[in-house]
């Protein structure tokens, strides 16, 4: 690419042109569409240029260009149709540091003006670097035909409607809405002006929202760690309008209470036989309810994007063409760390934190134990109860200090929250004694803030 296409901001900027004949008129016609301030230097300007000057659309200076004239201009056009004169004026431009274009002289021009399809604010610029003007003209003609003539008006009105269109879920639904506006509903009314276009947008949005509802939709909602007050407003809204709520084992009953009264609640955590529901079955359930036109809320504990097998369910929706959006939630690590008065990161201690799982599909999950065994490391370990002895063994084997602080928070944010402050060497035995039955989050490298200060033994016990 010898020429780099850019859109230059010329509002209020100065552009000068030398020449008063046909070539000048052709360029000026184009330049008059911009919001630039135009100055034309010509001893003999055509009537058309003189008319523009009289109408105040450009400034006409009835003499040839002189050195010093071009200070403060952003662009210069040499349009005298005379090689010697063009060379003289473009040299003045160059000396003034102004980019120059010499009409019909690609070689000596610093920039070229592309073929333009103008549907302001939609502008298509076509360039062939002078290789094939015929091709450029053909592409331009093709686009002129293809792009509705009212596209500019539609785009201007559409721009002001972008916020309102966010009522539609991001992605497929919103794209369909805009395609409908620009290529169907919009062109039908555009001839009647911007008020009609605005009205068409309002109606179209209404239609699409209804259609979207009829088509079903899945909201993947993070339910937070358990305390209903830690739900987001978006999560509440989704629960308020749900037809079907498919929830995981760890979602607190108080949160399910908030679902719309008529909503069908489906426990995806268990089958009637007490087994885990296979992931494929859950995927099918989500998709089939959405396809039946339901507003589905897929409720996951904490944040859906943290150890939530979210991607498998999104992929299933994608494959089935089901629209969805994801509502973030407060993950267990955030709730647990808040309860012990610590930060996940701290200047001078750890500049990074890891979210680990004790378990993965293959059993106990393997990690970079050598790195984790270093002093100052902080990790939030999910599903770490059963793996406690394994994790303890691996870390000590890789040289971790047995006195490394460990805190386990069970039922974080819930009324029955319990905190166990221990050390790496005592982790497995202390956990066995505590006999936690609820979900628990294990922090490597953190102890409750209170345990580090001068709390009394009793307060410490209460905290534990
Ligand atoms: N998506 C969830 C995590 C799901 S994995 C989130 O972002 O929190 C399940 C694990 O999360 C549990 O084994 C436990 O380690 C942790 N967990 C979930 N809720 C918890 C809670 N209220 N208190 C402590 N740990 C919790």
């Amino acid at each position: 690419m010898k020429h780099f296409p850019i859109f230059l901001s010329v509002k209020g900027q100065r552009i000068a042109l030398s020449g008063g004949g046909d070539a000048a008129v052709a360029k000026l016609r184009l330049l008059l569409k911009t919001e630039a301030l135009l100055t034309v230097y010509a001893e003999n300007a055509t009537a058309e240029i003189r008319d523009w000057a009289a109408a105040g659309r450009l400034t006409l200076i009835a003499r040839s260009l002189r050195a010093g004239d071009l200070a403060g201009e952003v662009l210069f056009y040499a349009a005298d149709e005379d090689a010697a004169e063009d060379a003289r004026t473009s040299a003045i431009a160059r000396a003034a540091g102004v980019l120059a274009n010499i009409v019909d002289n690609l070689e000596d021009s610093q920039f070229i003006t592309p073929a333009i399809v103008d549907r302001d604010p939609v502008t298509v610029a076509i360039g062939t670097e002078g290789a094939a003007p015929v091709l450029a003209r053909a592409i331009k003609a093709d686009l002129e035909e293809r792009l509705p003539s009212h596209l500019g008006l539609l785009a201007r009105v559409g721009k002001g409607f972008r916020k309102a269109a966010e009522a539609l879920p991001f992605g497929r639904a919103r794209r369909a809405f805009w395609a409908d506006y620009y290529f169907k509903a919009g062109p039908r009314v555009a001839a009647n002006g911007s008020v009609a276009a605005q009205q068409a947008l309002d109606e179209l949005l209404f239609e699409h929202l209804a259609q979207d509802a009829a088509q079903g939709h899945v909201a993947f909602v993070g339910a937070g760690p358990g305390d209903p007050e830690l739900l987001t407003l978006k999560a509440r809204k989704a629960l308020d309008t749900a037809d079907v709520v498919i929830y995981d084992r760890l979602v607190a009953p108080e949160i399910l209470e908030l679902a719309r009264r008529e909503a069908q609640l489906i426990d995806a955590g268990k089958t009637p036989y007490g087994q885990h529901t296979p992931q494929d079955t859950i995927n099918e359930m989500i998709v089939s309810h959405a396809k039946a036109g339901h507003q589905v809320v897929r409720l996951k504990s904490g944040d859906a994007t943290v150890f939530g097998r979210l991607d498998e369910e999104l992929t299933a929706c994608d494959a089935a063409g089901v629209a969805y959006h994801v509502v973030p939630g407060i993950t267990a690590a955030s709730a647990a760390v808040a309860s012990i008065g610590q930060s996940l990161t701290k200047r001078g201690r750890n500049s990074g934190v890891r979210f680990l799982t004790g378990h993965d599909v293959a059993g106990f999950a393997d990690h970079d134990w050598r790195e984790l065994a270093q002093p100052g490391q902080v990790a939030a370990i999910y599903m770490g109860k059963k793996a406690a002895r394994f994790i303890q063994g691996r870390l000590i084997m890789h040289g971790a200090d047995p006195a490394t602080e460990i805190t386990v928070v069970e039922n974080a944010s819930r009324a029955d929250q319990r905190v166990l402050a221990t050390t790496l060497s005592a982790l497995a035995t202390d956990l066995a004694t505590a006999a936690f039955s609820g979900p628990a989050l294990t922090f490597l490298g953190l102890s409750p803030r209170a345990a580090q200060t001068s709390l009394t033994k009793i307060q410490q016990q209460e905290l534990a």
Side-chain angles (χ1 to χ4, degrees), residues 8-222:
L8 192 67
S9 167
V10 294
K11 184 177 173 173
Q13 300 290 327
R14 309 181 60 88
I15 298 178
L17 179 144
S18 170
D22 291 344
V25 169
K27 277 287 173 288
L28 286 170
R29 264 205 202 105
L30 208 52
L31 290 170
L32 281 168
K33 292 182 174 192
T34 72
E35 295 178 33
L37 307 171
L38 306 178
T39 310
V40 176
Y41 294 87
E43 271 173 67
N44 301 304
T46 63
E48 201 163 3
I49 297 177
R50 289 200 307 273
D51 287 348
W52 284 329
R57 300 188 60 195
L58 52 76
T59 305
L60 177 61
I61 296 178
R63 60 162 172 80
S64 52
L65 186 80
R66 291 182 203 139
D69 280 340
L70 294 180
E73 307 287 326
V74 291
L75 296 178
F76 172 71
Y77 282 90
D80 282 286
E81 300 168 78
D82 173 295
E85 181 62 359
D86 284 343
R88 186 187 74 83
T89 59
S90 60
I92 293 175
R94 219 164 304 127
V98 179
L99 291 178
N101 170 273
I102 304 172
V103 175
D104 288 335
N105 181 348
L106 178 71
E107 251 343 272
D108 299 326
S109 292
Q110 286 163 295
F111 70 93
I112 50 181
T113 317
I116 292 172
V117 181
D118 174 17
R119 301 284 187 277
D120 182 46
V122 180
T123 323
V124 185
I126 305 153
T128 63
E129 303 197 336
V134 178
L135 186 60
R137 270 199 296 277
I139 295 171
K140 176 175 151 72
D142 186 37
L143 287 175
E144 290 285 5
E145 213 169 282
R146 206 127 40 105
L147 299 181
S149 60
H150 300 292
L151 191 63
L153 173 124
L154 294 180
R156 274 192 297 279
V157 178
K159 191 173 175 191
F161 202 75
R162 288 177 66 88
K163 197 84 208 145
E166 284 174 15
L168 283 165
F170 175 77
R172 205 173 52 102
R174 220 180 283 170
R175 282 198 302 275
F177 166 78
W178 285 117
D180 236 8
Y181 169 65
Y182 279 114
F183 297 102
K184 285 190 200 144
R188 273 202 295 273
V189 301
N192 303 333
S194 56
V195 177
Q198 178 68 42
Q199 201 181 336
L201 274 172
D202 286 331
E203 284 165 16
L204 200 61
L205 181 61
F206 189 75
E207 253 171 55
H208 273 251
L209 283 171
Q211 209 178 354
D212 192 55
Q215 274 175 3
H217 180 90
V218 185
F220 290 91
V221 177

Side-chain angles (χ1 to χ4, degrees), residues 225 250 301-303 306-307 331-332 382-383 409 411-412 414 439-441:
L250 286 182
S301 76
D303 182 271
V306 180
F307 304 127
T331 189
Y382 290 70
M383 296 172 273
V409 183
N411 293 321
R414 303 184 187 203
L441 194 111

Side-chain angles (χ1 to χ4, degrees), residues 22 29 62 121 123 131-132 144 152 274 304 318 346 368 376 404 433 436 440 457:
D22 291 344
R29 264 205 202 105
T123 323
E144 290 285 5
D318 280 334
K346 184 174 167 185
D368 185 352
T404 303
T433 310
F436 286 160
K457 263 243 144 57

Side-chain angles (χ1 to χ4, degrees), residues 246-251 266-269 282 298-301 308:
I246 303 174
Y247 62 96
D248 275 347
R249 193 172 51 87
L250 286 182
V251 172
I266 301 174
D267 181 353
I282 299 176
R298 173 69 175 113
L299 201 56
K300 289 171 178 284
S301 76

Side-chain angles (χ1 to χ4, degrees), residues 286-306:
I286 295 169
V287 166
S288 66
H289 278 289
K291 290 221 135 172
H294 294 143
Q295 297 302 299
V296 180
V297 167
R298 173 69 175 113
L299 201 56
K300 289 171 178 284
S301 76
D303 182 271
T305 71
V306 180

Side-chain angles (χ1 to χ4, degrees), residues 334-345:
S334 298
V337 81
S339 76
I340 62 168
Q342 289 288 6
S343 288
L344 288 173
T345 62

